Amino acid sequence: MASKRAPCISSLLLCFLVASTCALKSVPPTCKRIECPSYDVVDQGNGFEIRRYNSTEWMSTAPIEDISFVEATRTGFLQLFDYIQGKNTNNETIEMTGPVITQVSPSDGPFCASSFVVSFYVPKKNQADPPLADGLHLQKWGPTYAAVRQFSGFVSDDSLGEEAYALYSSLQGSNWASAVDQGRKADPTSAYTVAQYNSPFEFTGRVNEIWMLFSQASSNTI
């Protein structure tokens, strides 16, 4: 009896692994509706994907000190929403893009405030001369590598650390582990970045990602 059930269990496990791999390969559906930064997939592993992003520009908040990722991201997003609605130096309405990212610098303890920087991807047509706004600053990224883990649902304070740890653990033993470690040492103010692709009013089909960023120089050591 056990021998007859074993192939079925193996088949289900295989289907699950294939589905998981395909989910990571897929471009977030939101990026078929709104502009997202372009990237190339340079490698894939068990639970992670390595991307090379082209040069990008991000409009970013000042660091927000809070014990809650969710609350800090909400605060930052409201500032950025005002910006794209025309509260900027050009009084210009700017198209929504994806993802909204939050760079996370965790605190040393559970009851201490962490630091969060929330950013909006500047559309290509605005990158030559993006309008500015009080309380916001422009980040210009050169070509950047990212180790990426996708997950679904709403991002919560309880699960965020687990998702970041899962990405970091999945990289161990791969050729990319040392590059990610070098990237974190080069920018100790951001241990990881959370990318959210969906509106708060979308309750199904949500796609989120953990990014651990590193540079071209770090990748050349592989």
Side-chain angles (χ1 to χ4, degrees):
M1 193 73 172
S3 61
K4 290 181 180 179
R5 292 180 63 187
C8 295
I9 295 172
S10 298
S11 298
L12 289 170
L13 179 60
L14 178 62
C15 289
F16 173 78
L17 292 175
V18 170
S20 298
T21 303
C22 290
L24 189 65
K25 288 181 182 178
S26 64
V27 174
T30 304
C31 296
K32 298 176 182 178
R33 295 185 277 111
I34 60 176
E35 184 180 343
C36 296
S38 60
Y39 63 85
D40 297 308
V41 176
V42 298
D43 195 16
Q44 291 173 325
N46 184 18
F48 69 87
E49 182 172 87
I50 304 297
R51 298 175 184 170
R52 181 188 182 278
Y53 280 89
N54 298 317
S55 297
T56 54
E57 293 187 9
W58 303 84
M59 191 58 64
S60 304
T61 66
I64 300 168
E65 305 295 323
D66 204 309
I67 61 172
S68 168
F69 165 89
V70 173
E71 291 302 320
T73 299
R74 181 181 290 116
T75 297
F77 178 77
L78 290 175
Q79 294 178 42
L80 295 168
F81 184 75
D82 284 345
Y83 170 79
I84 66 174
Q85 289 298 302
K87 195 174 179 180
N88 54 62
T89 52
N90 293 354
N91 296 318
E92 177 182 359
T93 301
I94 299 172
E95 292 181 7
M96 186 62 196
T97 61
V100 172
I101 64 171
T102 304
Q103 294 161 279
V104 182
S105 179
S107 67
D108 294 329
F111 303 110
C112 302
S114 298
S115 181
F116 306 93
V117 175
V118 187
S119 301
F120 161 83
Y121 171 62
V122 178
K124 288 181 180 178
K125 69 177 185 180
N126 299 102
Q127 289 183 11
D129 186 24
L132 303 178
D134 290 341
L136 302 178
H137 66 279
L138 184 68
Q139 289 193 62
K140 293 185 177 183
W141 294 6
T144 302
Y145 286 80
V148 179
R149 171 183 173 83
Q150 281 189 357
F151 61 103
S152 60
F154 284 91
V155 182
S156 71
D157 293 322
D158 293 334
S159 64
L160 186 58
E162 295 175 3
E163 295 292 348
Y165 180 75
L167 172 58
Y168 187 75
S169 297
S170 70
L171 292 164
Q172 301 312 299
S174 75
N175 293 332
W176 301 100
S178 61
V180 168
D181 284 339
Q182 289 180 44
R184 296 177 80 179
K185 289 177 182 177
D187 184 13
T189 62
S190 179
Y192 56 89
T193 297
V194 183
Q196 299 185 78
Y197 289 87
N198 300 87
S199 158
F201 305 106
E202 295 179 62
F203 298 99
T204 60
R206 298 186 66 82
V207 177
N208 316 292
E209 294 173 340
I210 300 287
W211 296 355
M212 291 183 178
L213 305 175
F214 56 99
S215 67
Q216 173 78 45
S218 298
S219 70
N220 287 341
T221 64
I222 297 171

